[in-house]
Each structure stands twice: as C-alpha cells, then as structure tokens.
Amino acid sequence: MLTPAYRLVLRLEIDNHPGMFAEVARTIGARGGSLGAIDLVEATPTKHVRDVTVDVPDEPTGERLADDLKRLRGVVVRSVSDRTFLMHLGGKVAMAGRVAVRNRDDLSLVYTPGVARVSRAIAADPERAWALTQRANAIAIISDGTAVLGLGNVGPLAALPVMEGKSLLFADLAGVSAFPIVIQPGTVDEIVDAVARIAVGFGGINLEDIAAPACFEIERRLRERLDVPVFHDDQHGTAIAVLAGLRNAAAVCGVSINELRVVVLGAGAAGVATARLLRTAGAKHVIVADRHGTITTARTDLNLEKRALAEELGSNDAVRPFAAALAGANVLVGLSGPRLVTIEMIRTMARPRIVFAMANPDPEVDPVATAAEVDIMATGRSDFPNQVNNVLAFPGVFRGLLDARATTMTTNMELAAAAALADSVPAPLRSAEYILPSVFDAAVVPAIAKAVSAAARADGVARRTDRDAAPGPAGRSIAG
C-alpha cells in the first residue's frame, strides 16, 4: 500500500538522450513505486539532474529501487532523501518567547530584578500563577515509550518524535503550549510520583503511549492526586473519536447506536475505554474480544481492568472466538493489529454493516477490499475517507479544559466532546464517506472546546466561569 510515509526524493543524474527518463519511470513502476513531482535541478547538453519524488510501499522497497536505478546505464544516483526523516531533522518543536528582549530595560523586566516581584506575588498568592506564568495555557505530554503507536515497547527516546508531533498539533490546531516529556519506564508508583512532581507547572497532563494495564492505574491515581485534569489520550481521545464517528455512521444508516450490536477487537487502553464510553452513550450490545476470545467473567486469565470491564458490560456468557462474536454483529471497532480480520469474517456481519479498522499504519482488514462489503468503512489513516483518529479530539478537549481551568476530566466532558465532534459534520452532508470532519476543519477545535468547558462548569470542576474570559484565536482564553 503506497503512503506518503515512505516518500523518497531521488536526485538522479541522467544522460540527455531520448527515452532515458522513460527508462527511469519504467524502473520505478516495475518496483511498485508511484512517480510524483519531477524537478529539474541542473541541465547541460549531455546531462540532466532531476529531483524525482517517489512513493513506495515500504522501506525495503525503497532500498531495492535505489539499487535498481544505480544499475541503469546512463543514470547516476547522486542521493536518496527520505522526506519523513528530513521532516524530523533537529526535532519538530522548539520553545519560543512571547515577549521580545531588545534592550537592558526589557531584560530587567523579564528577568532579574523585575521577575523577583512576580515571584513574590505568586508566593503570596499561588492562584496568581494562572495569570502570571505559562500554566494557564501549558500541558505536559508524558510517555514512557512502552506502547508507541503500533510499534509496542520501543522505549522513551523512540517515543519522543511522536510526542513532538503531538506538541506541534496542539500548538497549530488549538494554540496550546504542549511540552513533550519522556521518562524512563518504571513501576506505577515511580511514574505517578514523577508526573505528580512536575505537574505543578502545567494546567493539564496528557498521558500518551503507556502500556496497559499500568496506564489505567497511573491515570486513576494521578487524577486522585492532582488538581489539574489528567487525560490518557490513547484511552479517551480514541473513545471520543469512535463515539462521534459511530453516532454519525448510525445516522447515515438510519438507526440509533442503541440498536447496533458492537464488537470491539482489542482490549488494551483504547479498546477498554471505547467500550466503556459506547456503553455510557447508550450502546446496549457491546462485546470486547482480545487474542484469546471474548472478554467475559467466565475467563480466569483476565487482569483486573478486563474483569471490571466484563462486569460493567454484563458479559457473563461462555468465551467465544472473535470470529464467532463478530458473526451477526453490526459494528466492528478494530483497535488491535494489522490483518487480523478476513473478508469472510466481515461477510458474516449483519446489516447495517459498519467497520472501523483503526490499527495503524496497517488496518485490521484491507479497506479497499472491504469497502464493497460494508455500509460504512472507516480507518485510522489519513489517506482514506473517514479517518477515525484521536487527533480529532485531543486539541479541542485540552483547549476546553484550559479555558475552564478544569480540575479534572469527567465522563460528561467526554460525551460532550464526542457530540460536538459529531455535530461538526452538518446532518445534510453526512454520507457513507463523510461521517467525521477533517482534522484541518477550523470549526472543530472551538466547537469541542466550548462543549468541554460548558460540561466542566456543569459538573462543578471549572475554576473559571464563562464570564471570566473572552475567547481568543483557536478558542484560546486571553484573560488573565
């Protein structure tokens, strides 16, 4: 499957003879690449130097293509650049000041001696830190690298590019200053203590890519300990996006969520949280399955979180294989791994037939082959219609949490965020290939932020009322 994630820029020196570039193009096609932009860099009577952009299905294919081109008579491969790696050179984020320091007077205000007056003011009244420091618009993104994307336990350094990417999205989409912080894996006690000790400087904590089941206990204990919201995005961001997408998918199919039989494949952080939120939102028939079959109280191999989930869902029947559970279901929510579901399994589902295959980068089932078999097809990828991804949720959620200066995150706020996200697609425009808005729809973040802030006030967990602040760019609060 071709994807921009494997996009190469080949600088080729090609003999200036008729048909030479056609030979290059033929070689690219034979190796399974897709030819993109072709830019002329240098030209002489005998040679042309071109930058040729090519999408390939994977890294080994790109390496083999470069070797193929090196063997072509009349072609010299000057360089091969991987655009993904180029985008990450030097990291993707950097700290920037909000005020300029142009002379000695400015220096005396932002630093010593002027800053001492501000420190004394905050020491006398800690609440003034909300107005006089970054805290009101800053969050920490915390990961130990034990469950990164679909890569698994790759460690904190390998997690850092992902956290930087989230930091960039927070800034660009919601105007939130998000600091990517990776820590060494440890016990639950060690991680909770480490995060709690640094939380004082932030208005919220975004936990990310921490493996289950530890992530559940870490979030739970941090919520008990801190007076700012703690939000594990792999759990709740995913659940919000799924609920919003399923609400609109059900509407397109002319049914309600409580009529649908839902099977969630994957009982990690995302699967457990999604099942819980769907049930809270009114889905009456929710089954969760992992690699050993359905999650029921009849199983003796469940951890505490899975057992609690089985009890919450009322799953007391005998254990069934995933394929048996899927037969007759209306909805498959895949939060597991690549190619775990076959077309034959999909064909056993009832109508309406809705599939969210969200494993990244490779979905549980081939979306191209599956589309003809279902009423609604969605993935976690950006190169197919209906991307169900937590990036639709977390910028607006934290914008709303910060605007309200919330002390915690509640289930009602998750439901409000999901409703606002679903409503971002106008009812007359909803269709089988348009159940969720674009990540770049400028209306999404403000809508979710407004809904989350209102829910925080309704739940009594907001430090600030709607009269305390005027909305700034991207929903930002600009009051002190």
Side-chain angles (χ1 to χ4, degrees):
M1 186 180 297
L2 296 178
T3 163
Y6 297 103
R7 178 165 291 168
L8 306 178
V9 179
L10 305 158
R11 178 157 290 189
L12 306 178
E13 181 183 300
I14 306 169
D15 284 354
N16 186 15
H17 297 315
M20 277 302 302
F21 191 82
E23 187 65 14
V24 170
R26 185 200 64 77
T27 302
I28 292 170
R31 187 51 80 178
S34 176
L35 192 60
I38 305 163
D39 298 310
L40 184 65
V41 178
E42 301 172 18
T44 72
T46 59
K47 303 281 186 182
H48 286 170
V49 178
R50 298 182 184 273
D51 281 345
V52 180
T53 302
V54 180
D55 286 349
V56 293
D58 50 45
E59 199 167 313
T61 301
E63 293 170 356
R64 289 192 289 269
L65 173 59
D67 290 338
D68 293 344
L69 292 169
K70 289 174 183 177
R71 288 192 289 268
L72 279 182
R73 187 186 300 273
V75 175
V76 175
V77 179
R78 286 194 178 181
S79 65
V80 180
S81 301
D82 186 319
R83 288 199 63 208
T84 297
F85 281 82
L86 289 175
M87 186 72 78
H88 289 75
L89 283 178
K92 300 186 293 294
V93 293
M95 181 178 291
R98 294 183 62 248
V99 297
V101 181
R102 294 160 298 191
N103 51 47
R104 191 173 295 276
D105 282 350
D106 292 343
L107 179 62
S108 69
L109 294 175
V110 303
Y111 199 51
T112 186
V115 72
R117 294 183 56 214
V118 180
S119 294
R120 282 195 292 265
I122 293 173
D125 181 5
E127 285 298 302
R128 296 194 70 181
W130 290 107
L132 297 174
T133 73
Q134 64 167 2
R135 193 183 189 201
N137 196 51
I139 67 169
I141 309 173
I142 306 287
S143 178
D144 65 358
T146 53
V148 179
L149 300 175
L151 305 176
N153 185 2
V154 294
L157 283 179
L160 188 53
V162 183
M163 303 311 116
E164 288 183 359
K166 289 203 68 171
S167 179
L168 186 62
L169 292 170
F170 269 119
D172 283 357
L173 299 177
V176 172
S177 294
F179 292 75
I181 300 172
V182 293
I183 60 177
Q184 289 290 349
T187 66
V188 169
D189 285 343
E190 289 170 338
I191 293 175
V192 168
D193 193 54
V195 176
R197 284 177 177 273
I198 66 169
V200 65
F202 298 100
I205 302 294
N206 180 180
L207 300 176
E208 184 78 15
D209 292 348
I210 299 174
C215 63
F216 299 110
E217 183 66 14
I218 290 168
E219 183 191 58
R220 188 177 297 119
R221 287 171 56 178
L222 283 171
R223 285 187 173 186
E224 293 171 355
R225 186 166 169 176
L226 300 181
D227 65 348
V228 295
V230 179
F231 183 85
H232 184 204
D233 193 37
D234 300 311
Q235 292 186 59
H236 311 298
T238 303
I240 289 167
V242 170
L243 175 56
L246 188 56
R247 172 179 150 175
N248 282 350
V252 169
C253 294
V255 297
S256 65
I257 286 181
N258 61 15
E259 299 175 64
L260 298 172
R261 302 187 69 85
V262 180
V263 174
V264 178
L265 176 58
V272 170
T274 295
R276 282 178 168 147
L277 192 63
L278 291 178
R279 185 61 176 265
T280 301
K284 297 178 181 178
H285 309 287
V286 180
I287 297 171
V288 180
D290 62 13
R291 70 190 68 178
H292 302 297
T294 52
I295 304 296
T296 84
T297 56
R299 282 177 54 175
T300 59
D301 62 338
L302 299 180
N303 61 39
L304 294 177
E305 205 66 38
K306 290 182 182 181
R307 178 159 293 280
L309 177 66
E311 293 171 355
E312 291 170 32
L313 298 178
S315 301
N316 303 313
D317 50 352
V319 182
R320 291 181 289 162
F322 161 72
L326 187 62
N330 303 107
V331 180
L332 166 62
V333 177
L335 293 163
S336 50
R339 298 176 293 277
L340 295 178
V341 182
T342 66
I343 294 294
E344 288 71 28
M345 293 179 189
I346 297 295
R347 289 172 179 156
T348 69
M349 295 174 64
R351 297 283 186 172
R353 192 178 287 168
I354 300 167
V355 173
F356 288 11
M358 296 170 59
N360 256 321
D362 299 315
E364 286 81 359
V365 65
D366 181 355
V368 175
T370 305
E373 304 289 340
V374 301
D375 298 293
I376 307 283
M377 181 73 217
T379 71
R381 295 173 59 113
S382 60
D383 50 356
F384 289 99
N386 297 331
Q387 182 184 20
V388 186
N389 192 290
N390 55 13
V391 71
L392 287 165
F394 67 73
V397 167
F398 269 96
R399 182 69 273 157
L401 292 172
L402 292 170
D403 287 348
R405 290 187 190 166
T407 59
T408 191
M409 182 78 191
T410 68
T411 300
N412 283 337
M413 292 151 80
E414 294 177 34
L415 294 171
L421 177 55
D423 290 343
S424 295
V425 180
L429 300 182
R430 292 174 192 151
S431 70
E433 293 193 345
Y434 186 29
I435 59 170
L436 284 170
S438 165
V439 170
F440 302 104
D441 185 333
V444 172
V445 168
I448 294 177
K450 182 178 179 181
V452 168
S453 291
R457 292 190 292 273
D459 285 348
V461 297
R463 291 183 177 88
R464 123 188 303 184
T465 69
D466 56 353
R467 295 188 301 273
D468 291 334
R476 271 189 291 178
S477 167
I478 58 175

